[in-house]
Amino acid sequence: GQNIDQPTEMTATEGAIVQINCTYQTSGFNGLFWYQQHAGEAPTFLSYNVLDGLEEKGRFSSFLSRSKGYSYLLLKELQMKDSASYLCAVRDHNNAGNMLTFGGGTRLMVKP
Amino acid sequence: GAGVSQSPRYKVAKRGQDVALRCDPISGHVSLFWYQQALGQGPEFLTYFQNEAQLDKSGLPSDRFFAERPEGSVSTLKIQRTQQEDSAVYLCASSLLDRVGNEQFFGPGTRLTVL
């Protein structure tokens, strides 16, 4: 099975940078996803990494190191609307389809 | 275009009652997933369909849970004789094809409360 760990909560200041870490253990790694979920809403896709390195998309970047079983999501120029839960999810080729195994989520609070 | 829709958005059931939760995936999406999300937790996989075929149901917590997608489009998750521990948000997701990297698009979920 998979074991995915991420911090439960983080707090940051508007305009700052925050890094949310995720570590995972899986036997057949086949990609890592980050999703954003506002309270009471659907998770929405942020980024996907399958090769080592950094993927940048506007204010959001995601990094992956497969040898370390480690990823992070970097949010720059934080805005109040970035207050949400951030979900790290891993795909394993041993699982049917492309089902995702999620971590517990990191609840980010952005303060003025 | 329209995203994934789910109905009802909220459902309150008495313990022992049967419930049916509906998912309308994005048109043309081959893969459909059901997840269960407890309060403050990440989603947990329940079952997976490729078109009308249910290829993985290993996440269904008990035989009281049943899912179908008879025509390869709309899916229904049925829970029989609901228990309080079934209270959660049930998320449906769809993706275009079963390929590496294809993102899953999630619906808003059905919040089930069992009294």
Side-chain angles (χ1 to χ4, degrees), chain B residues 12-81:
Chain B
V12 178
K14 292 182 180 179
R15 191 159 54 104
Q17 186 178 351
D18 297 349
V19 299
L21 313 180
R22 176 187 169 109
C23 171
D24 286 78
I26 294 173
S27 178
H29 276 197
V30 168
S31 300
L32 185 145
F33 304 82
W34 284 97
Y35 292 87
Q36 180 190 58
Q37 187 174 26
L39 189 63
Q41 302 295 317
E44 291 194 1
F45 170 77
L46 294 176
T47 187
Y48 159 64
F49 289 86
Q50 185 176 81
N51 294 308
E52 69 278 3
Q54 188 175 20
L55 299 186
D56 189 342
K57 53 181 181 179
S58 61
L60 297 176
S62 78
D63 58 8
R64 296 185 295 105
F65 286 70
F66 172 76
E68 60 183 4
R69 193 186 185 198
E71 297 178 359
S73 178
V74 172
S75 177
T76 304
L77 176 67
K78 298 179 179 177
I79 309 174
Q80 297 176 323
R81 304 180 304 281

Side-chain angles (χ1 to χ4, degrees), chain A residues 42-90:
Chain A
T44 54
F45 170 79
L46 290 178
S47 69
Y48 167 70
N49 296 72
V50 67
L51 300 177
D52 291 350
L54 189 68
E55 294 283 340
E56 296 187 80
K57 193 183 291 187
R59 294 190 299 115
F60 293 10
S61 303
S62 58
F63 172 82
L64 175 67
S65 168
R66 288 172 296 170
S67 62
K68 295 181 180 178
Y70 168 69
S71 173
Y72 67 72
L73 180 69
L74 193 71
L75 291 77
K76 304 176 186 175
E77 302 168 15
L78 280 173
Q79 302 175 10
M80 297 299 290
K81 68 178 182 179
D82 296 330
S83 294
S85 283
Y86 291 86
L87 301 166
C88 173
V90 169

Side-chain angles (χ1 to χ4, degrees), chain B residues 11-17 19 79 81-88 90 112-115:
Chain B
K11 176 69 179 177
V12 178
K14 292 182 180 179
R15 191 159 54 104
Q17 186 178 351
V19 299
I79 309 174
R81 304 180 304 281
T82 52
Q83 304 293 315
Q84 284 187 324
E85 61 263 28
D86 299 335
S87 295
Y90 290 86
L112 173 65
T113 303
V114 181
L115 304 178

Side-chain angles (χ1 to χ4, degrees), chain A residues 8 30-31 33 35 37 40-45 48 50 87 91 95-105 107, chain B residues 9 31 33 35 37 40-43 45 48 55-56 91 95 97-108 111:
Chain A
T8 305
N30 202 13
F33 294 76
Y35 280 81
Q37 187 177 29
E41 297 183 11
T44 54
F45 170 79
Y48 167 70
V50 67
L87 301 166
R91 177 178 175 176
N95 297 326
N98 56 356
M99 61 157 280
L100 298 174
T101 301
F102 286 85
R107 191 164 65 214
Chain B
R9 289 292 315 275
S31 300
F33 304 82
Y35 292 87
Q37 187 174 26
Q41 302 295 317
F45 170 77
Y48 159 64
L55 299 186
D56 189 342
L91 294 167
S95 66
L97 290 168
D98 179 16
R99 285 204 187 139
V100 172
N102 273 356
E103 65 185 272
Q104 294 182 21
F105 295 85
F106 282 82
R111 181 178 296 279

